[in-house]
Amino acid sequence: MNQRASTCFHCGEPVPDTVDLSVVIENQPRSMCCPGCKAVAEQIIALGLEDYYKHRTELAEKPTELVPDELRKLDVFNLPQVQSGFVETLNSDTREAALIIEGISCPACTWLIESRLAGIPGIDTVQVNFTTQRCRVRWHENRLKLSDILAAILQLGYKGQPYNHQQREKYYDDERKSRLIGLGIAGLFGMQVMMIAIALYFGDYSGIEDIYRRFFAWISLFLTLPVFLYSARRIFIGAWRDIRNRHPGMDIPVSLGLLIAMGGSISATLQGQGHIYYDSIVMFIFFVLAGRYFEFMSRKKSVAYLDNILSVLPAYATRLNTDGIGEPVAIGELAIDERILVKPGEVIPVDGTVIEGHSSVDESILSGESLPLEKHGGMNVIGGSVNIESPLTVQVKKIGEETFLSGVTRMIEAAGSQKTRTVQFADRLVSVFIIAIITIAAAVAGYWYVNDPERWLPITVAVLVVSCPCALSLAMPTAMSVAASSLIQKGLALLERNALETLNKVDCFVFDKTGTLTTGQLKLARIEIYASQYSHEDILVVASRLEAGSEHPLARAILTASHADSPTSVHGIKNYPGQGIAGNIEGTNWYIGTEKFVRANCSEQHTALPDTDMDLRRIFLATESGIIASLYFEDTIRQHSADLVDFLSRSGYQVFLMSGDHQDAVKQCADSLAINNYQAELKPDEKLRELARLQQQGHRVCVVGDGINDAPAFAQADAAIAMTEASDLTKLNADVLLLSQDIKTIETLLLIARKTTRTIRVNFSWALGYNLVALPFAIAGWLAPWMAALGMSLSSLVVVLNATRIAKLVKN
Amino acid sequence: MEVLFILILISLGFIFLIAAVLYWSIKSGQYDDVERQGHQILMDDDDTQKTRDSNDDQ
């Protein structure tokens, strides 16, 4: 293998030219893209788990670099109140926890984690499930703590999170097992019934002694009973529920068909003459259950994705007691007027007022505002925003129902309850079909009972078997489950089953800006220099040295732009949160920050600066003698955003941009993506109103967004797509969730949506067409039962094969 | 042909036995993670040793 590979051996990301790291794996030096990957690879080798690289079928996920602070954060998981949701106490010493492991990409990962954890003394058992990406670990509490286990997982490059939806997990697991047993029983006994049926068919053809015919009929009945009573009980229960709710569903005709066929067959068995339909019954039950099982599994997969994403850090806060000492508590325990400490990088847990400290706070997920806001004593902060620079002491002002977040949640509920889900094509069709079948069957039974009482039962059964909605009931679930698994392969999770059909009717796309069309990260756009002795490069070098230690988004933008990694000493560096940074480089005092900040520090007050409408996205660099340069920033447009917008406008969709950010930032974004309709500075409720207005004009709207401010709009919209980094609240209200960073997958989504809806329609027409053609023959009594059974299986097969064509489309 | 009666009744017994085994295997979680078990056989611990030996030979 090439020693100077351009991609990282561990994670597959490109190796920057400036990085020269390698680890010897399988007797070859392998390039690494970052110290994080190197550390993980070395750890894997040191533990003797080198085989991981041989067996893996997918590259690893890029690990985040481990900072001691991150490891210390794990300590919170040792608190009993935090553990209550996901740790089981088996006895005084033994504990068991359910964890979600982020970053598992192939079965070798599960082996790696299991081998590593099993080697740690104090860990009893460990089990990693690849399909669900969950891990169950049992350990001895007095030998090690949960945080040690999480740290070990972190060191391997994965991330362990508590899984606190065990209730739902258990429900889905039991349900899956129960369905699988039902399906297995139907298949197993069905095969025996079929085998005997073949003997009986041959008997009809070449003659069979009556005693054997009757014996076979009794054995068939005996073998059909478990399928009928156990496997099919779901169908009967479903039908009973449908009748009680007065909502005709597929279960009603299926049950009716089964009951009549079973009744007819039993009476034929008892009398020793007439036709038996046990083979049709078991086959029918097996087909219906199989279709439903696959549909259930694809739904379960989507739900599991959502659960994994939503299981974030348990909510806790650092409360300061009267002596000013911090202690971790659950958020629910906080009371009004208590003081909490919010460290840099932490989420502010409640609404409150800053009483000490000076920092910048990122509210982008709440408001769409792309730049952090300066916060100091006396100013209000909103729960959910992120503290960036320095510690803040916050006095709790609102808790629970009164917070901004709860307000948004209420808005979502209101918008969601007003929305009437469009009645889906399939539902409508099935209702009509069911009523028609029952009417026809009743009429046929009545007619033959009057005219030829001998034949009324076999003919009614033939009518029900022929019109058996087997193909019809498979038409939808097969297409849906193929579509859902194709979507997951393409990086899209389908959270709302009806979304595909709704997406087809959408004629209008509304995008959020920050974090959706843009990445939410700022980049240096250009530098304006006022002192000609400095070059563009000089300015960048000075700025990056001053900003080297800062966590502010603008500082990171400068560092990204400069690529400089030669840290020359800056003396007396001083950070003024929300204003700027001062420092001394080679004898000169430099200031970088807002206009007000640099003007206060330099002697020359009269440098004429060009006016701009981009005030908020400009910072200044100055020495004591005057302002040297200004630096302009802009939001980074997400890769492929322009392609997507172009594709949508070409395909005839109307594209809107609605953002909570400032007018100028939104305008800039809209201009560069060629979006004509845009609105800025919208609050969540205003966004909701704009959306409702569009819908009143007769538009069907799809919203794409990520922030909490988009969540009410999601509930209102006809279809909603959430970005992968979206807030939990937003994801919960989304119909489709992007699993990758690539916004262009929305094109694929629209394609699959169109293809799926068309396939479902083709399937329905086929199933209905077959029924309509065969029905007259059955009514007239010309159709032998075996013909009806054969036709039913063939039409089901056609429907299933047709559905698999969706997957083929995705592959190309 | 009377033997058919006996044979079919015996086979019925087998069917119920298979059904019981199926029930037990699903309930005990053998189908919980089908994808992973296929790879399990490749990742045996003694495999590490063999790889090293074969590399040394080269």
Side-chain angles (χ1 to χ4, degrees):
Chain A
M1 182 176 271
N2 188 0
Q3 282 196 13
R4 312 208 55 178
S6 56
T7 54
C8 176
F9 186 71
H10 182 74
C11 74
E13 289 206 7
V15 180
D17 297 336
T18 49
V19 175
D20 184 22
L21 298 167
S22 71
V23 178
V24 176
I25 299 166
E26 292 168 345
N27 301 328
Q28 292 259 7
R30 312 284 189 176
S31 304
M32 296 286 151
C33 67
C34 62
C37 284
K38 183 168 181 274
V40 170
E42 279 170 351
Q43 172 90 359
I44 291 171
I45 303 295
L47 291 165
L49 304 174
E50 198 172 344
D51 274 4
Y52 161 71
Y53 288 105
K54 205 163 47 135
H55 295 310
R56 67 176 181 177
T57 53
E58 299 281 337
L59 292 164
E61 228 166 71
K62 192 184 173 78
T64 42
E65 257 182 82
L66 283 186
V67 279
D69 202 41
E70 204 158 328
L71 289 177
R72 216 174 314 127
K73 255 189 226 164
L74 296 176
D75 286 343
V76 75
F77 290 109
N78 294 335
L79 295 171
Q81 64 262 43
V82 173
Q83 285 193 350
S84 64
F86 65 100
V87 173
E88 241 179 291
T89 308
L90 299 172
N91 58 45
S92 60
D93 183 30
T94 321
R95 301 286 146 86
E96 188 174 289
L99 302 171
I100 290 169
I101 312 283
E102 280 176 35
I104 292 185
S105 50
C106 68
C109 297
T110 61
W111 173 80
L112 182 64
I113 296 167
E114 277 188 5
S115 310
R116 168 71 182 119
L117 292 189
I120 298 176
I123 291 186
D124 233 14
T125 57
V126 51
Q127 220 179 13
V128 185
N129 184 319
F130 171 68
T131 318
T132 56
Q133 316 215 321
R134 311 253 165 78
C135 165
R136 292 203 76 85
V137 59
R138 191 179 287 188
W139 74 97
H140 294 287
E141 182 71 11
N142 52 23
R143 293 182 66 183
L144 84 170
K145 296 273 177 257
L146 181 58
S147 59
D148 302 330
I149 300 172
L150 293 172
I153 296 173
L154 214 53
Q155 275 157 5
L156 288 175
Y158 304 92
K159 201 165 172 198
Q161 297 263 28
Y163 179 70
N164 40 24
H165 299 276
Q166 291 196 64
Q167 220 57 42
R168 178 147 57 166
E169 159 94 336
K170 196 167 156 20
Y171 161 76
Y172 268 102
D173 211 43
D174 291 348
E175 180 77 6
R176 183 184 60 82
K177 281 182 180 166
S178 146
R179 280 171 190 254
L180 193 58
I181 292 172
L183 185 61
I185 298 284
L188 185 66
F189 284 89
M191 277 188 278
Q192 317 310 316
V193 175
M194 293 297 219
M195 215 144 62
I196 290 172
I198 288 173
L200 282 174
Y201 284 137
F202 270 106
D204 285 345
Y205 183 72
S206 60
I208 183 169
E209 277 178 55
D210 198 46
I211 179 149
Y212 287 111
R213 203 171 52 78
R214 294 184 71 165
F215 176 63
F216 282 156
W218 276 102
I219 294 292
S220 296
L221 169 60
F222 189 62
L223 286 167
T224 305
L225 277 178
V227 184
F228 192 78
L229 297 178
Y230 181 81
S231 299
R233 73 189 190 287
R234 276 172 192 289
I235 301 173
F236 297 129
I237 293 169
W240 177 238
R241 197 181 45 223
D242 284 354
I243 291 169
R244 257 201 340 233
N245 297 343
R246 289 168 204 286
H247 172 88
M250 202 51 107
D251 282 335
I252 295 179
V254 172
S255 304
L256 199 68
L258 285 176
L259 282 173
I260 292 187
M262 193 68 182
S265 305
I266 290 177
S267 92
T269 309
L270 290 174
Q271 290 169 11
Q273 55 181 351
H275 197 87
I276 54 171
Y277 298 93
Y278 298 121
D279 50 342
S280 308
I281 293 170
V282 287
M283 187 168 61
F284 184 23
I285 293 174
F286 181 76
F287 268 125
V288 170
L289 292 183
R292 291 183 183 181
Y293 180 74
F294 290 123
E295 193 200 7
F296 170 79
M297 287 305 280
S298 73
R299 196 169 67 230
K300 176 175 179 277
K301 220 169 177 172
S302 300
V303 172
Y305 264 102
L306 193 65
D307 275 357
N308 287 359
I309 292 157
L310 290 183
S311 300
V312 283
L313 260 165
Y316 80 103
T318 311
R319 180 167 65 193
L320 296 172
N321 61 19
T322 42
D323 303 327
I325 298 164
E327 49 161 358
V329 292
I331 289 190
E333 291 176 31
L334 286 176
I336 286 181
D337 284 340
E338 280 185 328
R339 287 180 306 146
I340 54 169
L341 179 70
V342 185
K343 291 180 204 144
E346 282 183 354
V347 175
I348 299 173
V350 288
D351 292 3
T353 310
V354 177
I355 52 174
E356 214 182 304
H358 195 151
S359 182
S360 308
V361 169
D362 181 3
E363 290 183 359
S364 63
I365 199 121
L366 299 168
S367 64
E369 162 84 71
S370 55
L371 277 177
L373 305 171
E374 183 189 348
K375 297 282 178 188
H376 51 77
M379 295 178 80
N380 290 328
V381 287
I382 306 173
S385 52
V386 183
N387 182 14
I388 297 175
E389 282 163 322
S390 59
L392 286 176
T393 306
V394 174
Q395 189 165 33
V396 180
K397 283 293 170 205
K398 286 175 183 167
I399 46 170
E401 289 291 294
E402 293 167 37
T403 58
F404 174 80
L405 264 180
S406 304
V408 173
T409 316
R410 274 197 300 276
M411 222 185 285
I412 293 169
E413 280 163 11
S417 63
Q418 280 171 14
K419 173 159 81 171
T420 45
R421 283 260 171 219
T422 42
V423 180
Q424 302 295 310
F425 173 73
D427 279 356
R428 240 176 14 235
L429 187 70
V430 167
S431 297
V432 171
F433 181 80
I434 288 160
I435 293 164
I437 296 238
I438 293 172
T439 322
I440 291 172
V444 168
Y447 173 83
W448 282 102
Y449 191 74
V450 173
N451 290 304
D452 191 353
E454 283 281 289
R455 295 182 66 194
W456 82 269
L457 187 64
I459 287 176
T460 312
V461 170
V463 166
L464 279 166
V465 170
V466 129
S467 66
C468 144
C470 192
L472 204 60
S473 65
L474 284 172
M476 206 32 195
T478 46
M480 286 303 293
S481 66
V482 173
S485 59
S486 310
L487 283 171
I488 282 185
Q489 275 172 26
K490 289 282 164 188
L492 296 146
L494 187 66
L495 305 178
E496 168 62 47
R497 260 154 39 96
N498 292 339
L500 287 183
E501 201 180 326
T502 321
L503 269 171
N504 250 342
K505 294 179 185 147
V506 160
D507 59 355
C508 207
F509 267 82
V510 173
F511 286 95
D512 174 47
K513 184 182 78 73
T514 318
T516 305
L517 286 175
T518 70
T519 59
Q521 279 154 5
L522 293 167
K523 73 169 184 211
L524 186 62
R526 63 195 166 91
I527 299 175
E528 233 167 66
I529 301 168
Y530 310 118
S532 53
Q533 70 267 35
Y534 294 101
S535 73
H536 188 271
E537 298 305 312
D538 297 337
I539 303 290
L540 259 184
V541 168
V542 170
S544 64
R545 283 185 197 168
L546 287 169
E547 299 276 18
S550 172
E551 280 298 306
H552 196 279
L554 293 182
R556 268 178 280 161
I558 293 175
L559 292 174
T560 314
S562 72
H563 302 297
D565 50 359
S566 52
T568 15
S569 52
V570 181
H571 298 288
I573 205 154
K574 198 159 177 354
N575 194 345
Y576 300 88
Q579 304 176 58
I581 293 172
N584 184 303
I585 301 173
E586 288 151 18
T588 316
N589 282 325
W590 289 89
Y591 302 91
I592 189 165
T594 61
E595 185 171 359
K596 209 171 128 198
F597 171 71
V598 296
R599 277 197 189 283
N601 285 295
C602 67
S603 56
E604 189 203 73
Q605 295 292 319
H606 48 76
T607 315
L609 293 171
D611 264 351
T612 170
D613 55 348
M614 302 277 303
D615 249 7
L616 282 155
R617 314 173 150 262
R618 174 167 72 160
I619 61 166
F620 297 88
L621 185 66
T623 62
E624 272 162 348
S625 54
I627 293 175
I628 305 295
S630 56
L631 295 86
Y632 291 82
F633 297 88
E634 62 184 29
D635 238 1
T636 324
I637 303 280
R638 196 182 281 275
Q639 205 187 356
H640 299 315
S641 280
D643 293 347
L644 177 69
V645 171
D646 184 49
F647 168 82
L648 291 175
S649 352
R650 265 189 297 115
S651 315
Y653 294 97
Q654 272 183 285
V655 180
F656 293 82
L657 177 60
M658 292 187 188
S659 172
D661 206 0
H662 293 281
Q663 182 73 29
D664 46 357
V666 177
K667 182 176 185 309
Q668 194 189 29
C669 176
D671 287 348
S672 62
L673 291 173
I675 299 175
N676 298 325
N677 305 306
Y678 63 88
Q679 280 168 295
E681 290 167 45
L682 293 174
K683 294 198 180 65
D685 55 328
E686 291 167 342
K687 218 173 197 176
L688 197 62
R689 226 173 19 241
E690 283 303 311
L691 214 59
R693 202 173 52 79
L694 275 178
Q695 287 174 323
Q696 272 160 23
Q697 290 169 5
H699 290 294
R700 300 288 189 109
V701 188
C702 174
V703 179
V704 187
D706 71 314
I708 286 170
N709 59 332
D710 297 317
F714 269 33
Q716 172 81 34
D718 296 286
I721 304 172
M723 306 301 291
T724 172
E725 309 94 336
S727 66
D728 299 349
L729 205 55
T730 318
K731 282 175 183 162
L732 271 178
N733 287 284
D735 297 322
V736 179
L737 174 66
L738 298 194
L739 300 171
S740 74
Q741 298 278 343
D742 187 3
I743 197 170
K744 210 162 175 252
T745 46
I746 291 178
E747 278 181 33
T748 319
L749 172 67
L750 289 173
L751 189 72
I752 293 181
R754 199 162 53 233
K755 184 76 191 170
T756 307
T757 316
R758 203 159 55 208
T759 304
I760 290 176
R761 274 165 205 240
V762 168
N763 272 354
F764 271 132
S765 355
W766 167 262
L768 275 179
Y770 154 77
N771 283 337
L772 286 180
V773 170
L775 202 56
F777 293 97
I779 293 174
W782 294 343
L783 213 56
W786 67 266
M787 291 183 207
L790 191 69
M792 183 184 82
S793 330
L794 283 180
S795 72
S796 304
L797 201 63
V798 168
V799 163
V800 172
L801 290 178
N802 192 32
T804 55
R805 283 174 45 222
I806 300 172
K808 257 186 220 137
L809 165 103
V810 175
K811 282 204 188 95
N812 299 333
Chain B
M1 286 299 271
E2 282 73 23
V3 73
L4 258 184
F5 295 110
I6 303 293
L7 288 177
I8 285 179
L9 288 177
I10 291 175
S11 73
L12 277 187
F14 277 112
I15 301 301
F16 279 93
L17 194 71
I18 295 170
V21 171
L22 179 75
Y23 183 86
W24 166 80
S25 67
I26 292 174
K27 278 284 172 192
S28 67
Q30 295 198 22
Y31 290 88
D32 283 3
D33 192 1
V34 193
E35 215 166 326
R36 191 225 151 140
Q37 303 305 335
H39 289 78
Q40 188 76 28
I41 191 166
L42 299 172
M43 295 172 204
D44 219 40
D45 290 334
D46 52 352
D47 205 32
T48 320
Q49 196 56 43
K50 266 183 228 148
T51 323
R52 235 170 258 154
D53 293 344
S54 65
N55 282 342
D56 290 346
D57 292 343
Q58 286 165 3

